[in-house]
């Protein structure tokens, strides 16, 4: 898989699971509460992933319309979810299971691309990053241990698609010897893709908790939580809605990037029911036309001040536009009633369809398009209208009741504080 092919996957599942999940207070609990490595080792003896079902996790990803999956093989706490010869602080030692191997095997069976997350920082192994920062001899041991972990991981699970670095405190690319690191991993697996969290740009950008496409554009993936934590937190019920996830997918679609949406299994490995519900609802939306609306998207820019060359889009009160070729997609995020009215469309409409519901009746007159919405379409979650035009869609409207015949600002005469 090339970086460009990766950027077209559009949607993936992030799985944050580890010893921290058992404590149910988020993935940084060891650091935030200053729990000693010795105490974490004692807690590891109680690690029991009895409900961790790799096949069920991958089935959920497929049902959700996701194309790839990334698992935390080792988070900052240092507890490995795989069998390793480098430490007994691992799942295979304490419960007899290699959870990474289980998920990699299940991902292959389900046709999902595979990414392995691995933290560079490590709060448990000695010397740790603090010692490495303070002492040159400790640094050399620390870096050697980091390389040994990564090399073992890549050899053990090859072939897989993405090595997802994280936890790059306290070093930059020079401190992590990142060029040598990537070269060493590619020597083991030549086609491996890297994110940019060892200090190098990587093969793709990785904005976290925001949906900003790189400028200039390059392959990218936004990683987002479903509530406010990556790892399981028993007190966090601040869930994003399915509509929130659809909006995120539309945003990354227009930006030609991916959404990597996180789940945080409980300590026993079970997936919170709310995560399952949200992912399945969005998966149904993707099957009912959403997948087409976010694939191969073309820019539809517009300037709220003076019109600019290349402007072809606009905002809408009822939902979000995307476009591909001569097809304009409208995802109705809010029910407009028995008809949907679109004004300012400068193209002739040839047909309007909804996947699984067939053709919809419409009338078009002087740039005003009125589409009938039958009950079965209105009853859907965020229905996607596929509007076939005679040419690439252009929508032009202004803050007035008609388009002025003289030069004019489109909405605002000065740069506005509004985010359109």
């Amino acid at each position: 898989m090339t970086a460009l092919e990766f950027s077209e996957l559009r949607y993936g599942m992030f799985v944050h699971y580890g010893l921290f999940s058992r404590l149910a207070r988020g993935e940084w609990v060891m650091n935030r509460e200053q729990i000693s490595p010795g105490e974490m080792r004692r807690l590891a003896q109680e690690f029991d992933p009895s409900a961790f079902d790799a096949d069920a996790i991958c089935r959920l990803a497929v049902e959700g319309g996701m194309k790839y999956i990334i698992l935390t093989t080792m988070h900052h706490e240092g507890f490995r979810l795989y069998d390793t010869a480098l430490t007994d602080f691992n799942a295979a030692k304490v419960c007899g299971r290699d959870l990474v191997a289980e998920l990699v095997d299940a991902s292959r069976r389900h046709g999902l691309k595979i990414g392995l997350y691995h933290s560079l920082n490590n709060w448990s192994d000695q010397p740790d990053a603090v010692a490495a920062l303070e002492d040159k001899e400790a640094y050399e041991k620390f870096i050697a241990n980091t390389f040994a972990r990564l090399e073992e991981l890549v050899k053990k699970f090859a072939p897989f698609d993405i090595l997802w670095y994280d936890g790059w405190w306290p070093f930059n690319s020079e401190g992590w010897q990142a060029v040598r690191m990537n070269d060493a991993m590619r020597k083991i697996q030549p086609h491996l893709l890297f994110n940019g969290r060892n200090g190098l740009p990587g093969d793709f950008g990785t904005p976290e908790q925001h949906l900003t496409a790189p400028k200039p554009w390059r392959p990218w993936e936004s990683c987002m939580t479903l509530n406010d934590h990556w790892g399981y937190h028993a007190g966090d019920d601040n869930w994003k809605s399915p509509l929130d996830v659809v909006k995120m997918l539309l945003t990354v679609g227009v930006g030609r990037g991916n959404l990597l949406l996180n789940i945080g299994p409980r300590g026993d490995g079970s997936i919170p029911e709310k995560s399952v519900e949200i992912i399945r609802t969005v998966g149904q939306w993707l099957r009912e036309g959403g997948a087409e609306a976010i694939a191969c998207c073309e820019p539809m820019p517009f300037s709220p001040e003076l019109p600019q060359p290349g402007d072809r889009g606009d905002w809408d009160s009822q939902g979000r536009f995307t476009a591909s070729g001569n097809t304009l997609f409208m995802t109705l995020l809010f029910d407009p009633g028995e008809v949907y009215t679109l004004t300012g469309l400068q193209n002739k409409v040839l047909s309007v369809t909804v996947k699984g519901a067939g053709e919809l009746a419409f009338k078009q007159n002087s740039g005003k398009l009125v589409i009938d919405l039958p009950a079965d379409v209105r009853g859907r979650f965020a229905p996607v209208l596929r509007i076939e035009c005679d040419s690439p869609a252009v929508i032009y409207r202004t803050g007035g009741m008609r388009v002025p015949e003289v030069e004019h600002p489109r909405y605002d005469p000065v740069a506005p504080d509004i985010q359109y």
Side-chain angles (χ1 to χ4, degrees):
M1 178 173 66
T2 66
L4 192 58
E5 288 169 338
F6 165 74
S7 72
E8 294 171 351
L9 295 178
R10 201 62 80 233
Y11 193 24
M13 176 184 282
F14 213 170
V15 183
H16 268 69
Y17 188 55
L19 188 55
F20 55 81
S21 306
R22 184 183 172 279
L23 295 173
R25 297 192 296 277
E27 71 288 347
W28 271 66
V29 61
M30 180 181 178
N31 175 286
R32 299 294 88 169
E33 298 181 15
Q34 290 291 287
I35 302 172
S36 71
E39 178 59 22
M40 292 299 286
R41 285 182 174 272
R42 286 190 288 275
L43 285 167
Q45 302 309 308
E46 302 170 15
F47 182 68
D48 179 19
S50 55
F52 184 92
D53 185 337
D55 199 67
I57 291 171
C58 291
R59 281 200 312 273
L60 177 62
V62 172
E63 289 171 15
M66 295 158 165
K67 303 300 183 185
Y68 66 108
I69 192 163
I70 293 177
L71 172 67
T72 53
T73 65
M74 184 199 80
H75 207 266
H76 313 329
E77 66 187 11
F79 183 70
R80 280 70 145 178
L81 294 184
Y82 55 95
D83 192 11
T84 170
L86 302 178
T87 180
D88 61 0
F89 192 48
N90 70 77
K93 181 70 174 179
V94 300
C95 67
R97 291 176 63 181
D98 186 324
L99 303 179
V100 177
E102 292 176 19
L103 195 78
V104 167
D105 290 346
S107 298
R108 288 172 180 155
R109 289 195 304 273
H110 288 276
L112 295 163
K113 299 292 185 182
I114 303 164
L116 299 182
Y117 166 113
H118 195 84
S119 177
L120 300 174
N121 194 3
N122 183 335
W123 298 322
S124 293
D125 290 3
Q126 299 300 320
D128 65 9
V130 176
L133 193 62
E134 295 171 336
D135 178 79
K136 188 176 188 305
E137 185 177 343
Y139 166 80
E140 295 299 337
K141 291 180 180 176
F142 175 80
I143 288 295
N145 290 342
T146 302
F147 272 67
R149 284 200 322 271
L150 290 167
E151 288 171 352
E152 181 192 52
L153 184 78
V154 174
K155 287 176 182 175
K156 183 177 177 65
F157 296 108
F160 60 97
D161 302 289
I162 303 156
L163 182 57
W164 214 98
Y165 299 122
D166 197 23
W168 62 110
W169 185 87
F171 301 117
N172 58 16
S173 62
E174 183 179 352
W176 285 114
Q177 301 181 31
V179 171
R180 184 169 76 88
M181 180 182 288
N182 286 359
D183 287 347
M185 300 309 117
R186 281 224 171 100
K187 195 169 289 185
I188 301 167
Q189 189 178 333
H191 301 295
L192 202 58
L193 296 180
F194 305 105
N195 71 348
R197 296 196 175 191
N198 63 354
L200 296 176
D203 295 300
F204 57 92
T206 317
E208 180 171 329
Q209 300 289 47
H210 65 98
L211 304 169
T212 310
K215 291 183 179 179
W217 185 91
R218 68 192 192 97
W220 67 286
E221 159 202 82
S222 177
C223 53
M224 300 289 294
T225 51
L226 257 179
N227 51 14
D228 287 331
H229 291 82
W230 296 101
Y232 178 65
H233 194 302
D236 186 356
D237 290 320
N238 190 30
W239 297 98
K240 294 177 177 65
S241 71
L243 200 64
D244 291 330
V245 178
V246 166
K247 290 177 183 177
M248 290 192 290
L249 283 169
L250 289 166
T251 298
V252 299
V254 169
R256 293 181 296 138
N258 294 345
L259 173 64
L260 181 62
L261 189 66
N262 183 71
I263 63 169
R266 300 183 183 94
D268 65 358
S270 60
I271 307 171
E273 290 74 16
K274 198 69 177 176
S275 296
V276 174
E277 175 190 328
I278 296 165
I279 289 169
R280 283 180 174 160
T281 299
V282 175
Q284 184 66 23
W285 174 77
L286 287 164
R287 286 188 293 276
E288 291 179 345
E292 293 177 285
I294 63 173
C296 304
C297 290
E298 299 166 1
M300 291 190 69
F302 81 98
S303 170
E305 301 163 58
L306 286 178
Q308 299 296 316
D311 281 1
R312 55 172 293 204
D314 203 348
W315 65 274
D316 197 273
S317 304
Q318 314 306 334
R320 297 269 292 275
F321 297 114
T322 53
S324 178
N326 290 358
T327 306
L328 175 69
F329 296 96
M330 161 49 85
T331 297
L332 291 172
L333 302 174
F334 312 100
D335 179 15
E338 295 181 353
V339 299
Y340 167 62
T341 301
L342 170 60
T343 57
L345 183 62
Q346 299 185 4
N347 313 80
K348 180 181 179 182
V349 173
L350 306 178
S351 67
V352 180
T353 58
V354 171
K355 191 172 182 179
E359 292 202 22
L360 304 187
F362 69 92
K363 294 178 182 178
Q364 185 177 23
N365 184 29
S366 301
K368 187 172 187 176
L369 176 67
V370 180
I371 303 169
D372 291 344
L373 299 178
D376 63 326
V377 170
R378 291 181 63 197
R380 291 188 181 192
F381 168 69
V384 178
L385 309 182
R386 180 188 177 109
I387 304 168
E388 290 291 342
C389 302
D390 63 348
S391 54
V394 175
I395 301 167
Y396 193 89
R397 301 182 286 198
T398 74
M401 288 300 293
R402 63 179 177 85
V403 176
E405 295 180 1
V406 296
E407 186 177 277
H408 58 275
R410 190 161 180 188
Y411 287 103
D412 302 304
V414 295
D417 291 329
I418 302 169
Q419 182 177 351
Y420 281 100

